[in-house]
Amino acid sequence: MDQNKKERERIKMLTALSTVSSLGAMIVCDFILAYYGGDWLDAYFETGDHTCRMACISLALASVFLTFCNLVQTALNREGDKE
């Protein structure tokens, strides 16, 4: 029984680690893709300003925020399991 509990804790720890590492990769990749993708869209549609770039960066910020909220919710559920 004790071995089973240790295995569940290990799985939860690895899940949190994978979420944190994916959050870091998402921040870097999403912002680079959003910046250059928005720049390409601005040039393609000839908007003359940074409208598409700002829209893409806003989407990247929203996805990072939602992933962070998922991480916090997972951590809170983990704390609830300990009680």
Side-chain angles (χ1 to χ4, degrees), residues 11-60:
I11 290 171
K12 287 180 183 180
M13 181 178 62
L14 290 174
T15 302
L17 179 65
S18 67
T19 305
V20 169
S21 62
S22 68
L23 181 65
M26 182 186 297
I27 289 171
V28 173
C29 293
D30 279 359
F31 282 105
I32 289 173
L33 289 174
Y35 182 82
Y36 289 113
D39 189 38
W40 181 82
L41 286 172
D42 281 330
Y44 182 77
F45 291 119
E46 298 175 358
T47 58
D49 56 355
H50 306 293
T51 306
C52 294
R53 185 184 303 170
M54 294 306 291
C56 290
I57 290 175
S58 297
L59 287 173

